[in-house]
């Protein structure tokens, strides 16, 4: 595994998480990412053979409740924060493009 | 008499004996906030009208003698990541700069039910990502003890407002030290409760498996009062405990004689500022004089706490922050967008600051195919070891004692150029969150005229012992009574 995260990798990850990125930004992030990831490699020193990964720290399991309908926020109230809406729906541009 | 420098307990006494009304207290607090806060900039929003309205209602409750709680009529400020219906909640991010929630967090509802008076919302590192408040996309907050220095983060606004007497208590949120570290830097008391003790419903999530809402107060007694009011089971948060919240004050005066404090040897290695170390050693001697036993203990995986914490934070945050996409709420940049992906790309590019972008991207990287086992899974395994460290150490002692930070508050701009350098300032506070254990931060002296913080770390759900041991210290010291000159 290489330690260096080059600008192409930075741009690739930015696209995965849907954050627009300029060439200058990719150049700024690249060495920062490399040094942070390099620092994380210290975990390789730890022997975790037979150690289960943590999944929960409260020891709660399967918290269930009755499935009962209750009043919730009205549609009108919910849409107050939507940048664009139409006929009771959140409005966005084309989701399925030509690609 | 500066009303907002009083404890909650003292203020409550004035209110119920009608020597003071909540409206008078609220007016005095608002006036002080408008006068002092331009220098400190702890508030993002000051809720003048709402506060006076709530104060009037509190006075009516007190006049009738109905349903009066220790917090009725008491003023408070809340970190701007906790939802308040009708009051802007920004997370100090451009992406939520004009966001007004349609619902209250459970903590907001609980405090409203007690009759507490909301003075305003406080500044923070954007989405809680930072250790100095300098990652706020809105403005920097200044440390009331030295305006050239940072208040700590991420709950820097809550700590600074508490320190400067701009509310009678404040609410912070601790994902990896975000209550304790700024509490230490600003000379206030604050607790990170056990994970699951306080509902997270309506808290804008950073790391869902670490996040803990906790109060900041003038002293330990008040801290127990506020935690009692906000803790408890919530059907809207399935990770909250069903067990009853203890009457913390019943045992708070109990003698600590014969109890044992564990000193984790890994926390006392090189790199600690001399004045911090001597303050902590002095605090240990104070406890010895109170009849406590001191025992060295080991938390052998301490050095791995920081990489575990940050890796898991990046991973969970990258998933949690996917909801800020410019379609349902918050900032939306849709000019020239040919499809919905363009809205995502533009909105998230403009709406997030650099630190938030770094963490989301590194989280996606650590979770991606080919790297998942090496980073995310490995970190979850080491997390198990961190938790076992605390269980083992706390099996032979009652509590652990450590500093909250190796240094006192640093200068504005001192660490902003190197993200990794900034992460290292969290070294003493991050391990508790992956383990879920509670920790209480309290003032422990001064180094070069800046406050030194210490923390007491306890067993799961044993806030009671933390309050008892913390309160005992504050009965024989007066560090917590020292106030900044403003």
């Amino acid at each position: 595994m290489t330690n260096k995260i080059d600008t192409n990798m930075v741009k690739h990850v930015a696209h995965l998480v849907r954050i627009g990125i300029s060439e200058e930004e990719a150049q700024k992030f690249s060495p920062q990412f490399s040094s942070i990831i390099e620092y994380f490699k210290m975990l390789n020193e730890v022997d975790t053979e037979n150690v289960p990964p943590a999944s929960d720290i409260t020891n709660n399991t399967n918290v269930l409740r009755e499935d009962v309908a209750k009043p919730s926020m009205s549609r009108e109230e919910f849409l107050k924060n939507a940048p664009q809406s139409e006929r009771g729906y959140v409005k966005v541009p084309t989701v399925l493009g030509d690609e | 008499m500066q009303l907002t420098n009083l404890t909650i307990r003292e203020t409550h006494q004035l209110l119920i004996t009608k020597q003071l009304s909540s409206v008078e207290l609220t007016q005095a607090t608002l006036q002080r906030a408008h006068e002092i806060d331009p220098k400190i900039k702890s508030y993002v929003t000051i809720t003048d009208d709402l506060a006076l309205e709530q104060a009037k209602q509190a006075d009516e409750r007190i006049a009738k003698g109905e349903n009066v709680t220790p917090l009725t009529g008491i003023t408070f400020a809340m970190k701007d990541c906790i939802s308040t219906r009708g009051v802007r909640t920004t997370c100090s991010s451009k992406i939520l700069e004009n966001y007004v929630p349609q619902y209250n967090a459970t903590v907001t509802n609980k405090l409203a039910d007690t009759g507490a008076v909301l003075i305003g919302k406080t500044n923070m590192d954007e989405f809680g990502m930072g250790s100095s408040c300098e990652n706020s996309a809105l403005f920097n907050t200044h440390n009331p003890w030295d305006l050239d220095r940072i208040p700590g983060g991420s709950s820097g606004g809550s700590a600074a407002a508490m320190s400067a007497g701009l509310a009678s208590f404040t609410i912070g949120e601790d994902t990896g030290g975000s209550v304790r570290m700024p509490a230490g830097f600003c000379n206030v008391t604050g607790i990170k409760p056990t994970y699951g003790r306080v509902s997270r419903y309506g808290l804008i999530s950073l790391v869902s498996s670490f996040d803990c809402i906790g109060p900041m107060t003038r002293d330990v007694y008040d801290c127990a009062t506020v935690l009692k009011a906000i803790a408890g089971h919530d059907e809207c948060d399935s990770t909250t405990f069903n067990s009853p919240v203890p009457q913390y004050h019943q045992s708070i005066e109990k003698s600590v004689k014969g109890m044992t404090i564990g000193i984790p040897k890994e926390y006392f290695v090189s790199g600690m500022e001399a004045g911090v170390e001597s303050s902590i050693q002095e605090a240990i001697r104070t406890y010895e004089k109170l009849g406590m036993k001191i025992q060295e203990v080991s938390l052998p995986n301490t050095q791995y706490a920081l990489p575990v914490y940050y890796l898991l934070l990046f991973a969970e945050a990258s998933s949690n922050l996917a909801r800020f996409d410019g379609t349902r709420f918050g900032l939306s940049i849709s000019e020239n967008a040919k499809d919905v992906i363009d809205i995502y790309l533009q909105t998230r590019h403009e709406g997030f600051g650099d630190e938030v972008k770094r963490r989301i991207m590194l989280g996606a990287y650590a979770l991606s195919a080919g790297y998942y086992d090496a980073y995310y899974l490995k970190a979850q395994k080491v997390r198990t070891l961190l938790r076992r460290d605390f269980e083992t150490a706390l099996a032979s002692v009652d509590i652990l004692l450590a500093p909250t930070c190796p240094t006192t508050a640093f200068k504005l701009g001192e660490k902003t150029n190197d993200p990794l350098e900034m992460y290292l300032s969290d070294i003493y506070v991050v391990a508790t969150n992956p383990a879920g254990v509670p920790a209480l931060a309290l003032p422990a002296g001064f180094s070069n005229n800046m406050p030194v913080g210490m923390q007491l770390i306890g067993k799961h759900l044993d806030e009671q012992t933390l309050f008892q041991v913390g309160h005992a210290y504050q009965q024989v010291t007066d560090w917590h009574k020292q106030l900044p000159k403003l």
Side-chain angles (χ1 to χ4, degrees):
Chain A
M1 202 179 301
T2 68
N3 298 344
K4 191 148 162 38
I5 302 184
D6 61 20
T7 55
N8 283 333
M9 178 56 109
V10 172
K11 285 187 253 180
H12 169 68
V13 177
H15 191 73
L16 288 178
V17 295
R18 301 291 185 257
I19 294 176
I21 190 165
S22 67
E23 185 60 41
E24 293 76 46
E25 287 168 318
Q27 273 171 19
K28 178 176 65 182
F29 286 144
S30 166
Q32 293 176 343
F33 284 14
S34 299
S35 66
I36 293 168
I37 288 289
E38 184 60 34
Y39 175 69
F40 287 159
K41 292 211 165 132
M42 117 176 30
L43 291 180
N44 293 335
E45 301 164 10
V46 190
D47 178 6
T48 51
E49 185 97 30
N50 301 321
V51 177
S55 55
D56 165 73
I57 49 168
T58 60
N59 296 328
N60 279 340
T61 46
N62 296 342
V63 179
L64 303 174
R65 61 166 171 78
E66 292 302 312
D67 186 15
V68 187
K70 280 192 222 162
S72 59
M73 195 185 294
S74 69
R75 181 180 286 223
E76 193 182 32
E77 184 73 16
F78 176 83
L79 287 172
K80 267 188 192 167
N81 270 319
Q84 290 187 76
S85 62
E86 197 175 303
R87 284 177 287 172
Y89 291 95
V90 172
K91 186 179 171 187
V92 294
T94 320
V95 174
L96 298 171
D98 305 328
E99 297 171 49
Chain B
M1 181 171 54
Q2 176 53 53
L3 289 170
T4 52
N5 287 341
L6 300 176
T7 62
I8 294 172
R9 186 155 54 149
E10 291 162 340
T11 312
H12 176 68
Q13 217 44 45
L14 294 175
L15 288 169
I16 56 165
T17 54
K18 319 279 162 72
Q19 295 176 67
L20 172 73
S21 73
S22 178
V23 168
E24 286 165 348
L25 170 69
T26 302
Q27 280 168 339
T29 309
L30 288 169
Q31 195 193 339
R32 182 167 169 84
H34 286 296
E35 197 181 295
I36 303 278
D37 203 48
K39 286 198 273 192
I40 295 169
K41 298 176 85 68
S42 59
Y43 280 102
V44 172
T45 304
I46 298 181
T47 48
D48 298 75
D49 295 349
L50 176 72
L52 287 166
E53 181 59 40
Q54 288 181 333
K56 234 190 277 174
Q57 288 168 11
D59 281 335
E60 283 165 25
R61 267 166 84 159
I62 294 167
K64 288 186 202 148
E66 277 171 19
N67 204 5
V68 177
T69 77
L71 297 183
T72 307
I74 303 286
T75 61
F76 77 104
M78 190 138 73
K79 189 175 182 180
D80 215 12
C81 56
I82 300 174
S83 302
T84 42
R85 184 171 59 228
V87 176
R88 191 167 71 118
T89 300
T90 67
C91 259
S92 294
S93 178
K94 283 191 173 150
I95 216 159
L96 290 177
E97 198 168 359
N98 300 305
Y99 170 66
V100 179
Q102 304 102 318
Y103 70 105
N104 275 336
T106 296
V107 165
T108 312
N109 277 333
K110 279 180 174 262
L111 287 171
D113 289 346
T114 66
V117 174
L118 178 70
I119 296 295
K121 304 295 290 291
T122 56
N123 198 28
M124 54 188 283
D125 287 290
E126 184 177 5
F127 286 103
M129 298 185 190
S131 313
S132 68
C133 241
E134 291 164 295
N135 290 336
S136 166
L138 308 177
F139 45 76
N140 288 335
T141 295
H142 302 262
N143 191 311
W145 289 88
D146 177 351
L147 298 176
D148 292 332
R149 291 177 190 270
I150 56 97
S154 66
S155 311
S158 290
M162 187 64 229
S163 166
L166 306 180
S168 298
F169 71 92
T170 65
I171 299 290
E173 186 279 322
D174 191 308
T175 299
S178 287
V179 163
R180 291 162 287 150
M181 193 251 215
F185 280 177
C186 294
N187 209 50
V188 301
T189 300
I191 191 166
K192 170 230 172 291
T194 305
Y195 177 81
R197 185 75 282 191
V198 177
S199 168
R200 290 179 293 108
Y201 178 71
L203 166 71
I204 298 174
S205 308
L206 171 55
V207 184
S208 302
S209 74
F210 294 170
D211 294 345
C212 294
I213 295 174
M216 296 188 191
T217 52
R218 193 63 69 214
D219 65 16
V220 172
Y221 190 95
D222 281 4
C223 200
T225 305
V226 182
L227 183 64
K228 174 76 185 154
I230 62 173
H233 181 252
D234 179 14
E235 66 169 23
C236 296
D237 176 359
S238 65
T239 59
T240 50
F241 289 99
N242 230 328
S243 52
V245 181
Q247 299 289 347
Y248 298 125
H249 292 132
Q250 274 179 4
S251 57
I252 206 165
E253 308 279 357
K254 266 176 43 189
S255 167
V256 295
K257 204 170 170 183
M259 292 171 77
T260 308
I261 292 187
I263 308 297
K265 63 176 183 195
E266 291 81 3
Y267 285 46
F268 292 82
V269 287
S270 60
M272 204 188 303
E273 190 178 308
V276 172
E277 177 145 27
S278 58
S279 294
I280 300 298
Q281 295 299 351
E282 184 60 38
I284 295 170
R285 278 194 290 279
T286 301
Y287 275 122
E288 260 179 319
K289 285 185 202 143
L290 287 169
M292 292 187 85
K293 286 177 269 184
I294 310 297
Q295 183 183 320
E296 188 182 91
V297 295
S298 174
L299 298 169
N301 293 289
T302 293
Q303 59 170 316
Y304 306 113
L306 209 61
V308 165
Y309 169 78
Y310 275 101
L311 253 169
L312 296 176
L313 183 154
F314 293 171
E316 285 200 44
S318 89
S319 154
N320 268 333
L321 272 67
R323 73 194 64 180
F324 303 102
D325 60 6
T327 64
R328 291 156 299 147
F329 54 85
L331 180 75
S332 179
I333 299 174
S334 54
E335 286 101 67
N336 308 319
K338 66 177 187 316
D339 59 18
V340 75
I341 303 268
D342 282 346
I343 296 189
Y344 300 157
L345 291 171
Q346 291 172 189
T347 302
R348 290 161 69 81
H349 179 257
E350 296 299 313
F352 288 141
D354 277 358
E355 184 60 28
V356 177
K357 287 178 185 167
R358 267 193 291 272
R359 295 192 187 190
I360 293 174
M361 291 164 71
L362 282 168
Y365 177 82
L367 287 170
S368 63
Y371 299 103
Y372 178 88
D373 285 1
Y375 297 115
Y376 182 77
L377 197 64
K378 183 77 182 179
Q380 287 288 30
K381 287 179 178 171
V382 184
R383 180 183 191 177
T384 299
L385 297 176
L386 288 174
R387 187 187 172 173
R388 288 180 188 166
D389 278 1
F390 280 108
E391 282 168 358
T392 307
L394 285 162
S396 60
V397 299
D398 293 290
I399 55 152
L400 307 176
L401 186 153
T404 53
C405 190
T407 65
T408 56
F410 37 91
K411 291 241 161 102
L412 279 150
E414 194 177 319
K415 299 189 179 181
T416 41
N417 288 332
D418 183 353
L420 193 54
E421 165 96 14
M422 187 71 95
Y423 299 169
L424 293 172
S425 58
D426 295 340
I427 194 113
Y428 293 143
V429 279
V430 293
T432 50
N433 295 62
V437 293
L440 174 71
L442 57 163
F446 290 82
S447 171
N448 298 319
N449 301 317
M450 290 304 290
V452 173
M454 72 165 166
Q455 58 178 336
L456 305 172
I457 303 170
K459 296 167 189 161
H460 269 260
L461 287 177
D462 192 15
E463 282 81 3
Q464 223 157 340
T465 301
L466 295 183
F467 289 141
Q468 184 194 345
V469 176
H471 182 70
Y473 181 77
Q474 292 189 338
Q475 297 311 296
V476 295
T477 58
D478 62 0
W479 304 120
H480 61 292
K481 292 183 181 158
Q482 307 302 314
L483 300 167
K485 286 174 191 65
L486 289 161

